[in-house]
Amino acid sequence: MTESDTTKSQTLAAFLGLRGLIVDGTLAPGARVSEPLIVERFGVSRTPARAALAQLAEEGLLAKREKSGYEVKSYTEKDVFQAIEIRGILEGMAARLAADRDVPAATLQKMDSVVLELDDVVGRLTTDSEQTEYVHLNNEFHRLLLDASDSEMLAMSLDRIKALPFGSPNAFVESLTLNHGAVKKVLIMAQEQHRAIVECIRAGNATRAERLAHEHSFCAARYLQLLRAKDEPIPWIAEKAKRASRK
Amino acid sequence: MTESDTTKSQTLAAFLGLRGLIVDGTLAPGARVSEPLIVERFGVSRTPARAALAQLAEEGLLAKREKSGYEVKSYTEKDVFQAIEIRGILEGMAARLAADRDVPAATLQKMDSVVLELDDVVGRLTTDSEQTEYVHLNNEFHRLLLDASDSEMLAMSLDRIKALPFGSPNAFVESLTLNHGAVKKVLIMAQEQHRAIVECIRAGNATRAERLAHEHSFCAARYLQLLRAKDEPIPWIAEKAKRASRK
DNA sequence: ACAAGAAAAAACGTATACGAAATGACCTTT
DNA sequence: AAAGGTCATTTCGTATACGTTTTTTCTTGT
């Protein structure tokens, strides 16, 4: 274990390791996850295993079972769409708060420059590294929006949603081919919205800022639709919740 | 301490105990909280103490410190108002979803009956026990609203907010004298909103349902204002974040 | 007296042991 | 063969020990 001891703490190792197993589908939704399983899988003791389980449950990837242990939580497509809209609603409020207050010039400038860089990336969009850059810049934009709102409570609520594998603004972008026609249209729209959001915040147009940011979240929903059209399997989305198990 | 060993687990005992100390102000905002402190205070071992700390941090009552340990998190009045509005926005979405779907008749009936009972309680409102009943019925109403939305994701997001000592719909009602004139006006308005929300959900009037539920949350803000007028100290609200302490 | 550094104390992360609860397997009985 | 009960195994909650990191205290030099 002296090799790639990249991980600071045992707890983090167990946390990230288990998270990986869940996100990539190795552990299917509904699968039971016990402390000894973590201990065995990652070579940590029960204490950090326990901590990792608690954290994953807090993030919503695991659910406490009735009597003992945890199981991998399953989400339906409906859950995903609703999570996306909740993010949208909260980001809408963030945009409104931002438009209603004096956002520091530095923040607005940073938003401007991120929008400019995004313009550039969206204009090109050929290589994989540009895709990575898009994701990064997009994240940056949403971070700045939250910054501009100066609301710790919103940050807290959004954190919860964004911790879900389908809650981040980039959740599905990463799995798509960005220069594909249909995807590109959405990217262009999203980018127009980015620009308009900054404009409205600067102009103090709170109502439109709120609605724009809310609407903007549906881009993520559209990405998911497009991803679905490709028959890409998404491990942690259950095909229909618990509709009758008739067979 | 062999007396009322009502508590199931050591972890729960530590959790509730510590929560109490924070909410009643014994532990002031900013105060450091260490594992050994819990161990000593509640006679539990470090393992459950650790778990309790993690849970309280998750709920937002504690904040992890940079290097080690936790401290009691402090919230400003601004945070409180924003938390209230976030709850309002999310409950607004809940009301909209409810209005847009077929809510089971049983749920609507339960909402009706809660509204009727609330009518009754708001009409009287003299004794303390009626205040308790109001709080209970009010909680029930908000629970049913969430139920009617049938959205697990909203439930999850709202749970986070409602776990805060100022995030529940009843947060400040409990500290007020309900038959005081100013308070009573708000209670009456809140109750009218309750009724209208159910009506709109039943009628499928999603837009108005959303706006009503959103607006409804500001009753809590108003209660806080009224509480403030009485110079009641509220331990876990920091008097202005960084404003000068003019006296 | 003050700043910097060293030593002491406290707190933390982790591993592990033990009893209690839960789960699962096997066996008995009808 | 199915239902039910008993026992073994697994898993969990809790306590505690050990080495490391962090915090505090005390000392020392300027």
Side-chain angles (χ1 to χ4, degrees):
Chain A
M1 46 221 45
T2 52
E3 1 67 60
S4 67
D5 200 34
T6 329
T7 338
K8 255 306 195 283
S9 74
Q10 301 292 79
T11 304
L12 233 197
F15 176 79
L16 294 177
L18 184 51
R19 184 172 223 283
L21 293 186
I22 295 171
V23 171
D24 75 9
T26 306
L27 261 52
R32 178 152 183 220
V33 184
S34 64
E35 286 175 21
L37 185 146
I38 317 294
V39 170
E40 195 216 328
R41 273 278 209 174
F42 304 108
V44 302
S45 80
R46 276 187 57 208
T47 309
R50 200 170 197 5
L53 285 170
Q55 285 179 243
L56 262 324
E58 174 193 336
E59 288 206 352
L61 286 171
L62 295 176
K64 272 197 279 295
R65 282 172 16 134
E66 216 60 25
K67 296 296 213 161
S68 83
Y70 295 83
E71 65 179 38
V72 178
K73 182 147 184 175
S74 76
Y75 289 97
T76 65
E77 208 165 277
K78 178 183 120 184
D79 291 331
V80 174
F81 283 121
Q82 290 186 351
I84 288 171
E85 183 170 4
I86 291 173
R87 174 168 60 76
I89 283 203
L90 295 176
E91 289 189 334
M93 177 167 164
R96 166 162 53 85
L97 292 181
D100 276 338
R101 80 184 199 105
D102 271 345
V103 179
T107 305
L108 283 173
Q109 267 165 30
K110 270 187 246 167
M111 293 184 93
D112 284 338
S113 80
V114 168
V115 168
L116 282 179
E117 291 179 76
L118 274 171
D119 269 339
D120 191 40
V121 175
V122 172
R124 291 186 273 116
L125 272 185
T126 47
T127 66
D128 275 3
S129 81
E130 272 161 4
Q131 181 148 347
T132 307
E133 202 185 338
Y134 177 83
V135 167
H136 171 257
L137 286 170
N138 193 28
N139 266 331
E140 194 64 5
F141 180 87
H142 287 267
R143 200 184 59 69
L144 284 168
L145 173 59
L146 194 55
D147 244 43
S149 78
D150 191 36
S151 170
E152 207 189 325
M153 301 311 296
L154 270 178
M156 184 178 143
S157 293
L158 274 166
D159 275 349
R160 180 73 158 230
I161 293 287
K162 287 193 284 191
L164 295 167
F166 45 85
S168 126
N170 285 306
F172 305 104
V173 174
E174 289 155 295
S175 330
L176 287 164
T177 314
L178 294 199
N179 49 12
H180 175 291
V183 177
K184 190 141 191 180
K185 285 180 197 166
V186 186
L187 283 169
I188 289 171
M189 176 173 75
Q191 174 57 7
E192 280 301 308
Q193 290 170 335
H194 286 155
R195 183 202 319 288
I197 288 169
V198 179
E199 241 173 53
C200 288
I201 289 175
R202 180 175 272 120
N205 192 339
T207 304
R208 189 171 167 223
E210 174 161 26
R211 297 204 174 141
L212 269 168
H214 182 171
E215 177 60 30
H216 178 59
S217 71
F218 292 109
C219 291
R222 178 76 176 128
Y223 294 136
L224 173 54
Q225 275 186 351
L226 293 175
L227 196 55
R228 261 296 143 82
K230 301 201 327 183
D231 261 356
E232 292 271 349
I234 305 172
W236 30 265
I237 298 188
E239 283 329 315
K240 295 295 173 202
K242 43 205 52 166
R243 230 351 55 109
S245 53
R246 39 61 207 282
K247 32 142 58 177
Chain B
M1 40 212 47
T2 52
E3 3 66 61
S4 66
D5 199 35
T6 331
T7 338
K8 253 315 195 276
S9 74
Q10 301 291 78
T11 304
L12 232 197
F15 175 80
L16 293 176
L18 184 51
R19 183 171 223 284
L21 294 186
I22 295 172
V23 171
D24 77 8
T26 306
L27 260 51
R32 177 150 184 219
V33 184
S34 64
E35 286 175 22
L37 185 147
I38 316 294
V39 170
E40 194 217 329
R41 274 278 209 173
F42 303 108
V44 303
S45 79
R46 276 186 58 207
T47 309
R50 200 171 184 34
L53 286 169
Q55 285 178 243
L56 262 324
E58 175 193 334
E59 288 205 353
L61 286 172
L62 295 176
K64 272 198 278 297
R65 285 174 14 136
E66 214 62 24
K67 296 295 215 162
S68 83
Y70 295 84
E71 65 180 38
V72 178
K73 182 145 184 176
S74 77
Y75 290 97
T76 65
E77 208 166 278
K78 178 183 119 185
D79 291 330
V80 175
F81 284 120
Q82 290 185 351
I84 288 171
E85 183 170 2
I86 290 172
R87 175 169 61 74
I89 283 204
L90 295 176
E91 290 190 333
M93 178 168 163
R96 166 161 53 84
L97 292 181
D100 276 338
R101 81 185 197 104
D102 270 345
V103 178
T107 305
L108 284 173
Q109 267 166 28
K110 271 187 248 168
M111 293 185 92
D112 283 338
S113 81
V114 168
V115 168
L116 283 178
E117 291 180 75
L118 274 170
D119 269 340
D120 191 41
V121 175
V122 172
R124 293 186 272 116
L125 271 185
T126 48
T127 66
D128 275 3
S129 80
E130 273 161 4
Q131 181 150 348
T132 308
E133 201 185 338
Y134 177 83
V135 167
H136 171 257
L137 286 169
N138 193 26
N139 266 331
E140 195 63 6
F141 179 87
H142 287 267
R143 200 184 57 70
L144 284 168
L145 173 59
L146 194 54
D147 245 42
S149 77
D150 191 36
S151 170
E152 206 189 327
M153 300 311 296
L154 270 178
M156 183 177 143
S157 292
L158 273 166
D159 275 349
R160 179 73 157 230
I161 293 286
K162 288 193 284 192
L164 295 167
F166 46 84
S168 126
N170 285 306
F172 305 104
V173 175
E174 289 155 294
S175 329
L176 287 164
T177 314
L178 295 199
N179 50 11
H180 176 289
V183 177
K184 192 142 189 179
K185 286 181 197 165
V186 186
L187 283 170
I188 289 171
M189 176 173 76
Q191 175 57 7
E192 281 301 307
Q193 289 169 337
H194 287 154
R195 182 201 320 288
I197 288 169
V198 179
E199 242 174 53
C200 287
I201 288 175
R202 181 175 272 120
N205 192 340
T207 306
R208 189 170 166 224
E210 174 160 27
R211 296 203 175 142
L212 269 168
H214 182 171
E215 177 61 30
H216 178 59
S217 71
F218 293 108
C219 292
R222 178 76 176 128
Y223 294 137
L224 174 54
Q225 274 185 351
L226 293 175
L227 195 57
R228 260 298 143 81
K230 302 200 325 181
D231 261 355
E232 292 273 349
I234 305 172
W236 31 264
I237 298 187
E239 283 328 314
K240 293 294 172 201
K242 50 204 61 165
R243 180 64 33 94
S245 54
R246 41 72 208 270
K247 18 139 84 163

